[in-house]
Structures are given as C-alpha cells and as structure tokens.
C-alpha cells in the first residue's frame, strides 16, 4: 500500500509538471504575439503572475494534505516556507525604477518649496488661509503620488510623472508670484529692536533709529515706527523706528512726604514712579514698626536725585527668619535685610538665567557677626565674537540681544570697503558684562577727491572732512578772478589723512594800478572800467584846495600789479573848506562864547580847570585854537571853577570810636566829605600804645573847631595798635 501511494504521488507531481510546462509554453506564445502592444503585454504579465499565484496556492494546499514540503515553481523545487519570500521578490521585480525616480524628485521639490515658504513668507503679515492656500496643492499632490507609488504598477507611472511635473510648475509659479505678493509693514510696537533688525535685513530696507525715554515701553523695545501696517514693503526703501531707553532718570517729578507710610506702600511708590537713587535705613524708635519716621528729599526733584527713607524698627529689633531673596533686585533684597536687622555682604557672579543686579542665591555666613551673603548677577557672561568679520547689522543685533551699548565711529580708510568694520574696542573671545560700551570703527571707504569748480564748495568739503586746505594765487588771461585754475590732487584721487589740498586761484589778468589822485569821479570811473579795475568811492570831508568830487587819495598804491576786477577805494573831496577867524575868549562868560561860536560857524566844547583861582566861575581862562580855522572846526575852551571856599566844622568825641580805628576813619570820612566839598582829606594810621581809635596829635584834623579850604589837602592821622 505504501508503495502504491508513493507511486500515486509521483504520478500526480509528474502530471502537474507536464501541465505547467504546457501552460508555460502556451503563455510564451501568447506573449510573443502580443509583444507590440504595451498595455496587452502588461495585462498578460499581470495575468501570468496571478495564475502563478493561484497555481502555487493550489500546490501548497495539495502538498499540505500530502505532507510534502516541496513544490515546483518556474521549473524548480522549492520549499513551502519560501513561498512568501518569493512572492515578495516577484513583487519587487515588478517595481518601476521610473516611479522611484519621480517620487524622489517630487520629495526634493516639496522640501525646497517648504524651505522657501519658511524663509521667505512673512507669517506676521499672512492670514492662516493664505498659508493653507500656498501649501494645499503641494500637500495634495504629494499624497496622490504616494498613493500611486503604493499601488506601484506600470499603469501608475504616467500619473506620477504628470503630477510631479505639475508640482514643479506650481512651485516655480508660486515662487514667482510670491515676489509680487503684497507684503505689508509689520506692527513692531512693543517688540524688541532685534526683531526689526531681522525684518529690515530680510527685505533689504535701510533702518534708522531714534531714541526716547518711556515709562511704559521696555528698554530696547519699539515705541513708534515711521510706517504703519497698511504700508507696502515694496513702497519703502528706509524705515525709522523710535527705541525706548526706559524711564528718564532726569525727569522732574513731585515726590510727596511719605512720613507715616508703611514699608510696602513706600516700596510700591518707588517702583511705580521709577526713583533711581533711593536709600533705605531703619532705627529703633517709639513709632510703629515699618513706618517712615523721617524722609530726606521731597517736593519737585529729578528721579535720580537722592531720596532717603528712615523706617522704624519699633522699640526693639525683632529677630526673623531669612526670607528667600532669590529673584529680587539688589535694592529690594538689601532693603529687606535692613528691614529685618540682618547684616549682609555682596558677591557678584555671571549668570545666564538671572538678570543683571538681581539675586542669584544667598547663604548664611556664621562668624562673629552672622550675616547673609548675597550672590548678585552680573548678567550673562558675554563672549565677544569675531566682530571684524560681522556686518553692522549683525553687530547691532548681537549688541541688542546682549544689552551692549554700541558707539559707532566712521572714518575714511582706503584699505576697507565702505561699511566694513575696521576695528573694535574689544577683541574676539573677550568676556564682558551686560551694559558694557563697545566702540566700533566703521570704514567710510576711500575719501575721493571730488570734481568741482566752485571754490566755496571745495572749502566746505575740505573742512567737513578735516582735510588740510591751502590756496595760492596766480594771474591768468583765461580764468576769471576768484575762479579755480587747478586743484591738487586731481579729482578721483583717493586721499589719506596726510594729504593736503592745494588750490590755485586765478587773480584774473594782471593790471597795473594807475595814479587816480586829482582826477574827477567820472574820469576815475572811465579809467577803471577800461583797465579792468573795480573802483568804489567815499567822501573824506572838506579840503583846503581840492574841489568837490575830485580824488584826494586811493586804497591801492599806484604802480603795483593787481588782478583784474580788484577793488580800489577812492576818497573824494567834499569841497573846499571855508576859513573863519576865532577870537580870544579869555575873560568871556560861557554864554558869550556860545553866541560867538554859533555866529562864526565853529563848535565850542567846554571843560573846567582843576584848580581854584581868583577868576569867577564859568569865565574862560584859556582855549586851544585862535585865529583862522576851518569853518565847522571844534574849539575847546577851559573855564574857571571859581575861587576856593572855606568851611568851618566841629569834630567832637562822639565821632571817634575808642579801640576801633577803622570805625573812626569811616565816620570821619563821611562827615568831612559831606561838609567840605572840594577839600582833599588823606587818612592814615599810626601805631601807639594807648588812645587807639582817637586822633593822633600830629593830625591836621583835630577835636574841636577846624577850618578847611577847597583845593587844599589835609592829613587825618588815627591812632592804631599796629
């Protein structure tokens, strides 16, 4: 029975092989007939695979029943366990390399498009619907391509190619269209300055800044901007923003007297009103604990003026536990420690997480006097980058982000292009603190000699750029007076700080100044016009022999050589002077003299003699001119001040101050000068042992009756201790 069964199996296998061989031959004939038609061939191949799968499945089931472990597949004996692997390999063989290529191409396009969207579009200016519209087709196309690739038949290849090409075309179109899309200015109010820098750099906009103090806008944030959100970016080349410098320390405010206020109320007032210079102290008193007992500084004052608040501990200092001071400002932390009667010391450290001048941590130091150590932040430790390799935009952004104060200095330098950094006041890898000032020297490029023929413009340019400037003058028959003949260096030359501009200026044609004295005004005008001089006129008054409008002098000497157009000032005669006879006024009164002077046409000035005489007052005693003088001349007449008067005055003891010589001098001086006008008194002191403050026996002025005459000098000697 066993052999019979085995024979039966062998026959079945043999029959199966022959049947498969026959089917294979038939299929090959069919495939050969249909080879010219691509779609039929593809269908035939799919049918072949399908039939093979069915056959394999039947054989497997059959062998399972007969417990056989091998089957024939494409003319070979294989194990049943290999059937899944073979089916997969068969499927892989059917994969289209063209599909894979276009799938990779589609993915590259989508990644590039995504990068473009991320780096180019301004999401602050786009609605979410705009972003979805920009990406929707790309995402849909990608999903369809993946589905077709999953199906992965030769039939799906044309669709994958078509969709990939459409995807490329759409991306190129959207890229071109995006350049024309309306992008509006962003709203930067209350945003950081670094955001504006990034935005301006992205759209190649020249950024300018103004600074203002603000109590409401954080430091280095935007207060105002030049253009609003309705302005297109394409319409502007420059953009100005106003940056907050924080609260103004010099602003004047009225600080009320807060005596009696609590500690918490005062600290709140300090913070809300931005007081910059506050001291807090505590003392033991009978006042309520934590209330202000004294305030130094109030009323109208600046925020950075000193205000000092002295609080009460109460009648004794209460020992309290140390509060957690982490995160408080240095002022808040030290005030809290003073409030609790605790000693402290301060140590500064860098911190990347705690703001400058805020508490990082604290610790208790136990020694003779227990105290608290406060670790205060110096801000983050800033490592200086290679500033020489950075643009000004990058430097400004770095400084803004790190709270560094920048100071730019621009100089001409032919070694560096305009806008390039020449040097910085700090070096690469230096470690600096927040708030440090960094000076950046920027090149303005080479200073190039301008092309100009205007002398004033050239002078102004040289002055503005601190270039030494010299002028030389030459005569020229072709260049007008005052115009430039030549300039050294030539225009377009790159200048250095050691160069000097030398300008040669034309004096015009050379002209010899003629002798114009004795000529009339008309003759001079004609002569000056003919030879190229500019002549101006002025009158020099009456002369003794020269008629009116005839030259009596000239500003340029005759015979000298000057440039054409040079001005010569001519002094003309006002006419021939008339002579009058001035008589002697000696013994005449002032009124008589005035009458005579008026009649003969002269001016009389009066002065008084400085000595007394027997001649009556206001009677002429001398004059400076007599005889024939020019009419209109001035005559000075000296008048008598009259005869000297005598004054009798009594000096009594009440005018003298015992022990005080200065007081005696002052009293006597006033008394004598008031009572004796025109009398000269000279005061002096003489050292004695007694009677200090009294009149010395040698004094011309004595106690009792004294007579003094005008014009005479009297010595007043007062006793003194030294």
């Amino acid at each position: 029975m066993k052999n019979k069964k085995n024979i039966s199996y062998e026959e079945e296998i043999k029959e199966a092989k022959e049947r498969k061989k026959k089917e294979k031959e038939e299929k090959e004939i069919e495939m050969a007939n249909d080879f010219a038609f691509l779609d039929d061939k593809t269908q035939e191949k799919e049918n072949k695979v399908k039939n093979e799968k069915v056959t394999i499945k039947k054989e497997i089931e059959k062998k399972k029943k007969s417990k056989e472990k091998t089957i024939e597949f494409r003319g070979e004996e294989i194990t049943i366990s290999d059937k899944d692997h073979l089916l997969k390999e068969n499927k892989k063989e059917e994969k289209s390399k063209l599909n894979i290529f276009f799938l990779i191409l589609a993915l590259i396009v989508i990644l590039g498009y995504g990068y473009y969207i991320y780096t180019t579009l301004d999401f602050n200016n786009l609605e979410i619907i705009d972003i979805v519209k920009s990406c929707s087709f790309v995402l849909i196309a990608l999903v369809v391509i993946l589905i077709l690739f999953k199906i992965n038949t030769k039939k799906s290849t044309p669709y994958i190619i078509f969709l990939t090409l459409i995807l490329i075309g759409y991306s190129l179109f959207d890229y071109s269209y995006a350049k024309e899309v309306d992008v509006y200015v962003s709203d930067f109010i209350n945003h950081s300055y670094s955001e504006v820098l990034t935005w301006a750099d992205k759209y190649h906009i020249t950024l300018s800044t103004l600074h203002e103090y603000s109590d409401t806008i954080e430091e280095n944030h935007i207060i105002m901007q030049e253009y609003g959100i309705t302005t297109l970016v394409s319409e502007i080349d420059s953009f100005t923003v106003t940056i907050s410098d924080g609260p103004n320390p010099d602003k004047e405010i009225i600080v009320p007297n807060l005596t009696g206020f609590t500690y918490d109320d005062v600290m709140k007032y300090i913070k809300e009103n931005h007081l910059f210079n506050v001291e807090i102290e505590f003392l033991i008193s009978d006042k309520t604990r934590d209330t202000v007992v004294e305030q130094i500084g109030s009323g109208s004052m600046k925020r950075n003026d000193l205000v000092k608040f002295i609080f009460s501990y109460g009648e004794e200092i209460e020992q309290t536990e140390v509060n957690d001071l982490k995160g408080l400002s240095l002022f808040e932390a030290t005030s809290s420690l003073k409030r609790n009667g605790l000693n402290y010391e301060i140590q500064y450290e860098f911190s990347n997480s705690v703001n400058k001048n805020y508490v990082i941590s604290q610790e208790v130091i136990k020694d003779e006097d227990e105290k608290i150590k406060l670790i205060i932040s110096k801000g983050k430790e800033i490592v200086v980058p290679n500033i020489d390799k950075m643009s000004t935009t990058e430097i400004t952004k770095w400084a803004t982000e790190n709270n560094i104060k920048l100071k730019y200095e621009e100089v001409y330098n032919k070694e560096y292009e305009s806008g390039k950094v020449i040097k910085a006041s700090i070096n690469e890898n230096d470690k600096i603190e927040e708030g440090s000032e960094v000076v950046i020297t920027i090149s303005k490029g080479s200073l190039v000699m301008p092309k100009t023929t205007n002398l004033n413009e050239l002078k102004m340019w040289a002055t503005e750029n601190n270039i030494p400037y010299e002028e030389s003058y030459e005569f020229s028959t072709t260049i007008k007076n005052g115009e430039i003949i030549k300039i050294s260096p030539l225009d377009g030359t790159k200048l250095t700080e050691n160069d000097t501009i030398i300008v040669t200026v034309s004096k015009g044609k050379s002209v010899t100044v003629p002798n114009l004295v004795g000529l009339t005004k008309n003759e001079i005008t004609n002569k000056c016009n003919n030879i190229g001089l500019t002549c101006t006129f002025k009158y020099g008054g009456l002369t003794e022999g020269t008629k009116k409008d005839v030259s009596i002098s000239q500003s340029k000497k005759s015979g000298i050589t000057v440039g054409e157009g040079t001005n010569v000032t001519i002094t003309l005669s006002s006419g021939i002077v008339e002579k009058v006879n001035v008589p002697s006024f000696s013994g005449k009164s002032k009124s008589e003299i005035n009458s005579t002077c008026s009649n003969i046409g002269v001016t009389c000035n009066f002065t008084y003699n400085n000595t007394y005489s027997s001649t009556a007052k206001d009677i002429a005693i001398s004059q400076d001119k007599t005889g024939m003088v020019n009419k209109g001349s001035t005559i000075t007449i000296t008048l008598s001040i009259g005869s000297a008067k005598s004054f009798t005055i009594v000096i009594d003891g009440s005018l003298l101050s015992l022990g005080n010589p200065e007081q005696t001098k002052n009293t006597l001086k006033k008394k004598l000068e008031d009572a004796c006008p025109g009398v000269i008194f000279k005061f002096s002191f003489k050292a004695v042992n007694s009677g200090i403050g009294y009149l010395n026996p040698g004094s011309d002025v004595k106690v009792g009756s004294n007579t003094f005459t005008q014009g005479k000098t009297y010595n007043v000697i007062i006793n003194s201790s030294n």
Side-chain angles (χ1 to χ4, degrees):
M1 293 294 291
K2 184 177 180 181
N3 291 335
K4 186 177 180 178
K5 187 175 182 179
N6 290 338
I7 291 171
S8 176
Y9 287 154
E10 291 174 358
E11 290 176 352
E12 289 178 1
I13 292 170
K14 186 177 181 181
E15 289 175 0
K17 287 181 178 182
E18 290 176 354
R19 187 168 58 251
K20 289 177 183 178
K21 185 176 180 181
K22 185 177 180 180
E23 290 175 354
K24 182 177 180 182
E25 290 173 353
E26 291 175 352
K27 289 177 180 178
E28 288 176 352
I29 292 170
E30 291 176 0
M31 289 174 64
N33 292 334
D34 298 335
F35 183 75
F37 303 95
L38 180 61
D39 290 342
D40 292 343
K41 180 179 177 182
T42 302
Q43 186 63 43
E44 179 64 27
K45 193 169 183 179
E46 290 177 354
N47 291 337
K48 177 183 175 184
V49 173
K50 186 176 180 180
N51 291 334
E52 286 179 347
K53 289 179 181 179
V54 172
T55 302
I56 292 171
K57 186 176 181 180
K58 288 180 180 180
E59 290 296 329
I60 290 171
E61 289 177 353
K62 186 175 179 181
K63 292 302 178 179
K64 279 182 179 179
K65 291 179 181 179
S66 61
K67 298 183 180 180
E68 285 288 336
K69 294 185 178 180
T70 62
I71 62 171
E72 183 180 347
F73 180 71
R74 295 185 179 180
E76 297 180 2
E77 292 282 334
I78 62 170
T79 63
I80 296 173
S81 62
D82 290 334
K83 60 97 178 180
D84 292 332
H85 176 71
L86 289 172
L87 289 174
K88 289 179 181 178
E89 288 296 322
N90 183 53
K91 185 175 181 181
K92 284 182 181 179
E93 288 175 6
E94 300 302 325
K95 283 183 181 286
S96 170
K97 292 181 180 179
L98 196 59
N99 288 359
I100 295 173
F101 170 75
F102 276 95
L103 176 63
I104 294 171
L105 181 61
L107 290 172
I108 292 172
V109 171
I110 290 168
L111 288 173
Y113 181 76
Y115 177 76
Y116 158 73
I117 290 290
Y118 175 75
T119 56
T120 304
L121 292 183
D122 187 353
F123 294 97
N124 293 323
N125 284 310
L126 290 176
E127 300 289 343
I128 188 65
I129 188 67
D130 295 325
I131 301 173
V132 172
K133 281 164 64 179
S134 298
C135 304
S136 58
F137 177 79
V138 176
L139 295 175
I140 292 170
L142 177 63
V143 171
V144 173
I145 290 173
L146 289 173
I147 292 172
L148 291 172
F149 185 78
K150 186 68 177 175
I151 294 172
N152 202 35
T153 65
K154 289 285 185 179
K155 225 173 195 183
S156 64
T157 300
Y159 298 105
I160 293 176
I161 295 173
F162 176 74
L163 281 173
T164 303
L165 293 176
I166 291 295
L167 185 62
I168 294 172
Y170 176 81
S171 299
L172 292 174
F173 169 78
D174 194 52
Y175 171 76
S176 301
Y177 172 74
K179 291 184 177 181
E180 306 299 328
V181 170
D182 291 341
V183 178
Y184 292 89
V185 172
S186 299
D187 182 7
F188 293 110
I189 304 301
N190 225 350
H191 287 241
S192 70
Y193 178 50
S194 60
E195 292 182 45
V196 187
L197 279 170
T198 303
W199 175 83
D201 187 51
K202 178 178 179 180
Y203 291 108
H204 308 291
I205 292 174
T206 302
L207 189 62
S208 300
T209 59
L210 300 173
H211 287 260
E212 284 185 11
Y213 290 109
S214 174
D215 290 351
T216 56
I217 303 296
E218 186 181 346
E219 189 174 0
N220 286 327
H221 283 59
I222 307 304
I223 300 173
M224 291 185 293
Q225 61 189 63
E226 182 178 6
Y227 299 105
I229 58 176
T230 58
T231 303
L232 291 171
V233 170
S234 59
E235 294 177 349
I236 62 174
D237 297 319
S238 61
F239 189 60
T240 301
V241 293
T242 303
I243 303 172
S244 170
D245 286 335
N248 182 3
D250 291 321
K251 181 179 179 180
E252 285 200 2
I253 60 173
I254 297 177
V255 178
N257 191 310
L258 302 178
T259 301
F261 280 62
T262 66
Y263 175 85
D264 292 334
D265 289 339
V266 172
M267 295 299 284
K268 181 181 179 182
Y269 177 84
I270 292 169
K271 187 173 183 179
E272 290 178 348
N273 289 275
H274 308 288
L275 299 186
F276 288 88
N277 189 7
V278 179
E279 291 184 7
I280 299 291
E281 297 293 342
F282 282 81
L283 54 76
I284 296 174
S285 75
D286 57 356
K287 304 296 183 183
T288 306
R289 177 177 170 79
D290 285 346
T291 59
V292 178
V293 295
E294 185 181 353
Q295 176 179 336
I296 301 173
S298 62
S300 181
M301 59 194 306
K302 294 179 180 179
R303 284 174 169 167
N304 59 356
D305 289 340
L306 175 64
V307 181
K308 187 173 183 179
F309 296 101
I310 302 175
F311 292 87
S312 172
Y313 277 129
E315 295 183 354
E316 61 179 352
I317 301 176
E318 297 180 6
Q319 296 297 324
T320 60
E321 294 184 1
V322 180
N323 295 328
D324 184 5
L325 304 174
K326 185 177 180 181
L328 296 182
S329 68
L330 176 61
F331 172 73
E332 292 171 328
T334 54
S335 297
S336 178
L337 292 173
K338 290 177 182 178
R339 181 185 189 186
N340 293 293
L342 299 171
N343 295 324
Y344 62 88
E345 67 178 40
I346 297 172
Q347 179 178 318
Y348 288 90
E349 292 182 2
F350 285 111
S351 173
N352 291 327
S353 58
V354 179
N355 290 336
K356 186 175 182 178
N357 289 326
Y358 279 74
V359 178
I360 300 172
S361 61
Q362 66 196 68
E363 59 181 85
V364 178
I365 299 177
K366 293 188 176 181
D367 50 19
E368 295 180 359
D369 297 317
E370 186 175 293
K371 56 186 174 183
I372 308 299
K373 179 192 281 187
L374 294 176
I375 311 299
I376 304 299
S377 173
K378 294 196 290 186
K380 60 183 178 181
E381 184 179 54
I382 302 167
V383 180
V384 177
N386 188 355
I387 290 179
D388 294 348
K389 303 297 183 183
M390 297 168 68
S391 67
T392 53
T393 300
E394 292 171 333
I395 294 171
T396 304
K397 187 175 181 181
W398 168 78
T400 302
E401 291 173 347
N402 292 283
N403 194 24
I404 299 297
K405 296 177 182 178
L406 279 184
K407 181 180 179 182
Y408 283 109
E409 293 181 350
E410 292 185 313
V411 297
Y412 285 105
N413 190 302
K414 65 180 182 180
E415 304 296 331
Y416 292 84
E417 294 179 12
S418 178
K420 295 294 184 182
V421 176
I422 299 174
K423 62 179 181 179
S425 59
I426 50 175
N427 300 316
E428 184 180 7
N429 295 322
D430 283 352
K431 294 179 175 60
I432 60 175
E433 298 180 23
E434 292 181 54
S436 300
E437 182 178 87
V438 177
V439 180
I440 308 294
T441 304
I442 304 295
S443 172
K444 293 198 287 185
S446 297
L447 180 61
V448 178
M449 189 70 192
K451 184 175 183 179
T452 180
T453 57
N454 188 295
L455 186 58
N456 289 331
E457 286 182 0
L458 183 60
K459 287 180 180 179
M460 187 178 297
W461 181 86
T463 302
E464 289 175 350
N465 293 285
N466 296 318
I467 301 297
Y469 171 90
E470 294 179 4
E471 289 182 19
S472 64
Y473 292 86
E474 293 180 3
F475 291 113
S476 172
T477 58
T478 57
I479 308 298
K480 291 181 180 180
N481 182 27
E483 294 185 356
I484 296 173
I485 298 175
K486 61 182 178 181
I487 305 173
S488 178
L490 298 175
D491 60 271
T493 304
K494 292 182 178 180
L495 302 178
T496 67
E497 58 185 9
N498 297 320
D499 289 329
T500 298
I501 298 173
I502 300 175
V503 181
T504 304
V505 182
S506 172
K507 295 197 290 184
K509 295 178 183 178
S510 61
V511 178
T512 301
V513 178
N515 183 9
L516 302 172
V517 175
L519 301 181
T520 65
K521 184 176 182 181
N522 289 335
E523 289 173 334
I524 294 169
T525 300
N526 292 332
K527 196 163 190 176
C528 287
N529 290 339
N530 291 334
I531 63 176
L533 291 177
T534 300
C535 291
T536 56
F537 300 92
K538 69 176 183 177
Y539 285 96
L542 298 171
T543 60
E544 293 188 3
T546 305
K547 294 180 180 180
K548 184 174 172 38
D549 290 336
V550 174
S551 171
I552 56 176
S553 67
Q554 61 191 65
S555 61
K556 303 288 185 185
K557 290 183 179 181
S558 61
I560 67 170
T561 302
V562 296
E564 185 181 28
T566 299
N567 181 70
V568 180
T569 301
I570 310 298
T571 303
L572 301 175
S573 170
S574 299
I576 299 174
V577 66
E578 181 182 351
K579 294 287 186 176
V580 295
N581 184 28
V582 178
S584 173
F585 294 119
S586 180
K588 302 289 185 180
S589 68
K590 185 175 181 181
S591 60
E592 289 176 316
I593 297 170
N594 272 328
S595 177
T596 302
C597 288
S598 177
N599 291 332
I600 64 176
V602 295
T603 301
C604 290
N605 287 339
F606 296 95
T607 184
Y608 283 92
N609 190 19
N610 56 5
T611 59
Y612 293 96
S613 68
S614 58
T615 304
K617 186 178 181 184
D618 290 335
I619 299 299
I621 57 176
S622 66
Q623 64 194 80
D624 65 340
K625 295 175 184 176
T626 59
M628 300 302 292
V629 298
N630 294 337
K631 190 175 182 178
S633 298
T634 299
I635 312 300
T636 301
I637 296 104
T638 303
L639 302 176
S640 171
I641 59 174
S643 58
K645 293 181 181 180
S646 295
F647 305 96
T648 300
I649 184 172
V650 176
I651 304 298
D652 59 37
S654 64
L655 299 175
L656 309 178
S657 297
L658 181 62
N660 192 339
E662 281 292 339
Q663 182 62 44
T664 298
K665 174 187 172 182
N666 294 336
T667 304
L668 288 175
K669 185 176 182 181
K670 180 172 176 37
K671 177 71 174 178
L672 293 170
E673 288 178 352
D674 290 346
C676 307
V679 179
I680 302 169
F681 295 97
K682 289 187 176 180
F683 289 84
S684 62
F685 297 99
K686 186 172 183 179
V688 296
N689 294 325
S690 62
I692 295 171
Y694 286 169
L695 289 170
N696 188 272
S699 174
D700 293 335
V701 178
K702 303 180 182 297
V703 175
S705 180
N706 296 264
T707 300
F708 307 111
T709 303
Q710 288 180 327
K712 291 187 176 181
T713 301
Y714 299 90
N715 292 314
V716 183
I717 304 172
I718 302 170
N719 291 334
S720 173
S721 59
N722 50 39

